[in-house]
Amino acid sequence: MTTAPLIKVEGLTKRFGGLVAVEDLSFDVESGEILALIGPNGAGKTTTFNLIAGVLVPSAGHIALDGQRIDGMPVHRIAGLGMMRTFQHNMPFAGMSLTANVLIGSHRKLRASVLDILAGRSFVRDEETQARQRAGELIDFVGLNAYRGADVTTLSFGEGRLLEIARALAGSPRVILLDEPAAGLTTAEISRLSAMIRRIAADGVSVLLVEHDMHFLLPLAHRVVVLNFGRKIAEGGSRDIVRDPAVKEAYLGEAAGALREGAPDA
Amino acid sequence: MDDFLELTVSAMASGCIYGLMALAYLIVLRPTSIINFAIGEWSATGAFVGVGMLSTLAWPRFEGPYILAIVAVVVVLGLLGWAVERLTVRPLIRRGAAVTSPILALLGVLVIFRESLTLIYGADPLPSPPPFGFKRIEIGAFAGASQQFFIIAVTLSLFALVWLFFERTVWGRAFEAVALNRRAAALMGINLGRVTALAFAGGAAVAGLAGLLMSPMTSAHYMMGLPLAIQGFTALVIGGVGRVEGALLGGLILAFVEQLGARYLPIPSGLTLAFPFALLILFLLLRPTGLIAPREAR
Amino acid sequence: MRALLWLASIIAASLLAFMLGGYATDVYRKMLVWIALALSYNFLFGVAGQIAFSQFAFAGVGAYGVVILAHKLGLPFGVALAGAIALCSLLAFIVAVPSTRLEGFYLALATLAFAQLFLVVVNEGGDLTGGTGGIAGYRLPDVFGYTLRGPWYTVVLVLLVALTLHILLRLERSSFGRACRAIKDNPAVAAAMGIDVRRTKVITFTLTSTLAGLAGAAYAYVDNVINPPVFGLDNIFLLLFMIIVGGMGRPAGAMLGAVLLYLAPFVLEPIVGHAYLVLFGVLVVLAILFQPKGLIGLIDRLVDRLGPEQRA
Ligand SMILES: Nc1ncnc2c1ncn2[C@@H]1O[C@H](COP(=O)(O)OP(=O)(O)OP(=O)(O)O)[C@@H](O)[C@H]1O
Ligand SMILES: [Mg+2]
């Protein structure tokens, strides 16, 4: 089953003035694969996500989704191709209910134009009913069913993380970018999150994961790419990564301990 | 040729007024992203405060205490701008309201100011004495009313001061830092609230001064704010919303286009009123960043 | 059930037209036009978050358009109306495309420039627009053989409000309305969810401006006279205030605000004179500071508080 990778990143570079946030970064992600992007604070992980999602335009290099170049494309078109994301900081639409927030995620799949809506075409209503049903399922899936009609500003930080995931899933993504999804979650929530991510990947969705919590990440990731100062310093399975001397050097002190402890049967 | 030189002085003077209005917008807009349409009414208020000050002083001899009128305008308008920021803008920013909220609240403030001016001063125009009388002055080949030269001199000095403030002082740097990135500036220990308050006070003072300088030509009038507000932001868009010198450049370009067009283009005089709007739309279409681009985030 | 409710409201609002007389009719008709304008402006500004100052200019394009085409150029009324509305859409599209490319407040600037430009053109339009004096002395031709005069024209205005409300409610409750709200809240995140932000903004602006044009065309036959000051900036501020005071983003709020602020001067002016405008300004500032959901938000809260007791 060695098809072409779903995502192909080649020679990706991003400069902010004098600062090189990402430098000559290359990696692939297969369908259904969980690829973790790790590295110390400021290593360029979020910048990489923003480049892939089209929020930032690369200074050099390219990104392909299913063989199609997407660098330089507008954000909404990249999302339209099935690239959905969560944000490192919770970004709910504050004026809307939880359900409406999740429904926004399904937008890329809706075909109703303004004219269809004004003409009251029947498929518009069917589409909406389907989207609502799917949104309901996803809210159940992430475990927020108690808050369906709630004002999203009343959600806790952890619940907000889960909303981000449900909203991204509503777009039936082919690739999902998760930026620190476990931050602020309780241990119980984290283990549920792991199971969730495994199920998402099992459905054939490529998962790109940025995370600092190694206990959570290392057992989950199929492959890990380690960044430091914007450069890739290592890539491989979780077990190989924790033994890599360059990685150990990048993660001095406390984090190195966590890295070791978090590794599966290390 | 004489005709053209005379026009140059008059266009320079109008351009300076527009430039001051653009500067007033800019001072508020840069650090806060708030476009404050009330600035036009603040210039009308400045005109009334100045004229009020003069008429209680040595009317009809104005040379001596004119500086007092200027000081009064700067102080009163500065305080008003500060108070408006405190009462309407700050609570909204603190609550984390969207940037449209203060913009809308300031539209309410606009109406409050305009209608209060008619209540206090009446609807009739109040004549405003020029500080150097109605003398004509000739400097080399350039000739014009004394007030026009006065406007040019005051505006150029003020722009020099503001430019120095932004380039050379710690406070000016704080403004620029906030403009580039509010969060980062806050992390650097810059007091955002104080910068915002100062921006409103400064913007109001500059607008008030523009109103006072303008008033000998139009009289102080409650309807004088709106045109100034529009000419001001047109100048702002032409020059670019990023830099102090852009405001002046934009004002001068606008004034020259207006006056040269009115003088030499064979169209009915009423249509020349359309120049600023046409120019504004043209710039929004073709060069939305204005002539002088803002500094990039580093 | 819902259809019945619509029908009942339309009939009730129309019956009122036959009961009122003289000055009250005039007030009622203009109020209906204000409501129609407030509804479309509410969608543009309250739901989609676009601050534009051109709503009355587009109403003006609709009004002048239909009057000039029908009565100055002598086109059949249906063609004139369609032409005026098409012109509104086209102009709105032309204004929206460049200004939605830029940061939010540029739309305010571009639309303000457009509104002022419209006034200059109308003032200087010579015979065609009637200059500062405007155009008067025309009459609504028979439409499909019907002579719509007196209270029957008021019924046309009621239908205008109903049509506007119907279109906007349908949009607001659809995925399109949701996209508009998302963009208002956070355009960057909306784009990340696959929403074409610019396209949505341009459509919203064009559509609501066209509805304004329709209201303007209807207004042209209220007094059978149109002149420039009606379409100036003072009225756009009033429209904005109606929505802020009534409740941004809520059609019911917009209608409530329109009715209250349109009628208030009739009560207040004899008592406080022009000072009522200061009062409006204060009201707006207070609403934004302390009651951002407007009067309709207050009513919601009241109903919430009363609700459980009634049920118990
Ligand atoms: N828009 C920007 N302008 C300038 N510099 C930026 C910008 N975005 C990120 N940077 C810089 O690029 C570098 C990489 O930042 P990035 O947010 O990608 O790191 P990260 O790996 O996600 O870190 P963290 O673990 O803290 O989230 C940092 O030095 C950051 O300051
Ligand atoms: Mg990050």
Side-chain angles (χ1 to χ4, degrees), chain C residues 65-66 68-71 73-84 141-143 221:
Chain C
V66 72
I68 289 174
L69 291 177
H71 307 288
L73 305 181
L75 294 178
F77 183 73
V79 176
L81 184 62
D142 290 358
V143 184
Y221 296 97

Side-chain angles (χ1 to χ4, degrees), chain B residues 15 18-19 234-236 238-240 245-255 279 291:
Chain B
Y18 303 164
T234 306
L236 183 73
I238 294 173
E245 51 277 34
L248 185 57
L249 181 69
L252 290 173
I253 290 176
L254 174 60
L279 209 58
L291 291 173

